[in-house]
Amino acid sequence: MKPYEAKGAGLARTMTGIFVLGLAVLSGCSFSRGTIGDELKKEDVATIKKGESARTDVVAKLGAPDRIVQANGHEILQYYRYDIKVKGLFLILVNFSRANIKSDDLYVLLNKDGIVDDVVFGKRTDRLEFQFWPFDD
Amino acid sequence: MTRKTSSLALAALIVLLPLSGCGFATFSRLSFNDPIKPEDVAFIQPGQTTFSQVVAKLGTPDELTPLGEQDGAVAAYHFLDAKYTRINYGWPLQFVSPVSPEMIMAGGGLGTDVFQVVFDANWVARQQAFAKHVHANRHRLWPF
């Protein structure tokens, strides 16, 4: 056998060993996901114009709000959505799992005439990740 | 914790706990939104910082509660971190015993914080505070 063939066979054996060991140690993993509420799309929110759009326009585009609050002379329509991602890594001895939840919130502030005064939109769910390691900060 | 947040935490725990069924040890964690630290809110100056500036830095609040028709409002940011540990000390006995006894010890903690900013009638920050600052979230190997 030529030296490079022996080296290649050794590497193949090592790789096979690592693969078999990996299969033996890693007994399973899982990915789960859940959402609460409809997605708040940026393009839908962009159609709401300050000083122009009325309450009926907002409701026609986004549906009925999840919450209505009266504050500082404004009627505030709140829309929210939650996204949950759960990942589990199941080894023979130890299991790790982690669930991350983030929310998107949209506030539409209407003046006394029912016209949009301000729109406040925050999207956190686009930064939501699947993670299994439960010990980091 | 509001009813909305409690429902979410409960829903997530229902999802999370079945994942911790077997094996010797299980470490689980549930995080709701990113934690807000005191240094993150140091920019808020009472009488100067506006609602828009707070939203630009911290994102949209989870809740807006009116203090009256013209008396201002309270913006609340909720975040929580729960950790759960489960050890089955009977698990190794399955290799030497015809039966596999279970001797499970589990423990954890739920740390919940709410950061609140009070705005006046002109949407200018008047006051800010962490409503709760509980550092209860930790993995517990020993429940006693």
Side-chain angles (χ1 to χ4, degrees):
Chain A
M1 187 184 287
K2 293 175 182 174
Y4 63 86
E5 284 178 344
K7 196 180 276 182
L11 183 67
R13 270 199 301 272
T14 306
M15 293 303 288
T16 307
I18 291 171
F19 180 69
V20 170
L21 187 68
L23 281 181
V25 173
L26 181 68
S27 59
C29 64
S30 76
F31 295 86
S32 307
R33 186 166 184 188
T35 55
I36 299 172
D38 291 328
E39 186 176 358
L40 299 167
K41 293 177 183 165
K42 284 179 181 168
E43 53 267 31
D44 289 342
V45 177
T47 62
I48 303 169
K49 303 289 182 197
K50 293 181 198 174
E52 292 178 23
S53 304
R55 182 193 292 107
T56 47
D57 300 325
V58 176
V59 173
K61 195 73 188 172
L62 301 172
D66 297 297
R67 198 163 170 248
I68 300 174
V69 179
Q70 300 281 347
N72 289 349
H74 287 100
E75 183 183 19
I76 303 171
L77 311 182
Q78 183 184 3
Y79 295 85
Y80 54 76
R81 175 183 185 258
Y82 288 90
D83 200 346
I84 306 169
K85 286 184 178 176
V86 186
K87 184 177 179 182
L89 179 69
F90 310 111
L91 309 178
I92 286 178
L93 272 177
V94 186
N95 303 323
F96 302 104
S97 61
R98 184 162 179 178
N100 289 324
I101 307 173
K102 284 194 194 301
S103 61
D104 296 332
D105 292 274
L106 169 68
Y107 293 94
V108 182
L109 283 73
L110 304 169
N111 63 20
K112 285 181 177 149
D113 301 321
I115 303 296
V116 174
D117 242 7
D118 204 356
V119 179
V120 180
F121 180 46
K123 202 167 175 69
R124 297 187 183 102
T125 56
D126 50 6
R127 301 193 309 270
L128 189 65
E129 293 176 49
F130 279 109
Q131 293 176 304
F132 72 85
W133 189 245
F135 300 109
D136 55 357
D137 288 333
Chain B
M1 200 187 314
T2 61
R3 194 175 155 191
K4 189 174 80 176
T5 318
S6 311
S7 308
L8 267 172
L10 184 66
L13 280 174
I14 289 169
V15 173
L16 201 62
L17 285 179
L19 297 176
S20 59
C22 51
F24 174 67
T26 297
F27 300 94
S28 302
R29 185 169 178 182
L30 164 69
S31 304
F32 174 64
N33 282 340
D34 294 322
I36 297 175
K37 297 171 191 156
E39 55 265 33
D40 298 331
V41 299
F43 73 95
I44 300 174
Q45 299 295 323
Q48 292 178 17
T49 311
T50 62
F51 180 65
S52 307
Q53 290 170 324
V54 172
V55 169
K57 287 262 188 186
L58 301 180
T60 46
D62 297 292
E63 207 170 0
L64 264 179
T65 309
L67 291 173
E69 186 64 22
Q70 294 291 340
D71 296 334
V74 181
Y77 292 85
H78 298 271
F79 46 99
L80 66 86
D81 198 17
K83 291 176 179 172
Y84 172 76
T85 306
R86 177 186 181 274
I87 309 278
N88 183 359
Y89 292 97
W91 186 85
L93 294 176
Q94 67 180 308
F95 300 109
V96 293
S97 165
V99 293
S100 63
E102 290 200 332
M103 195 173 73
I104 296 166
M105 291 186 191
L110 175 71
T112 172
D113 271 337
V114 183
F115 176 66
Q116 295 183 337
V117 189
V118 181
F119 293 96
D120 64 15
N122 298 313
W123 295 103
V124 175
R126 208 166 65 194
Q127 205 177 351
Q128 49 151 321
F130 284 93
K132 293 175 186 172
H133 207 73
V134 183
H135 295 286
N137 58 326
R138 61 192 177 100
H139 291 286
R140 290 173 210 263
L141 297 177
W142 187 250
F144 305 107

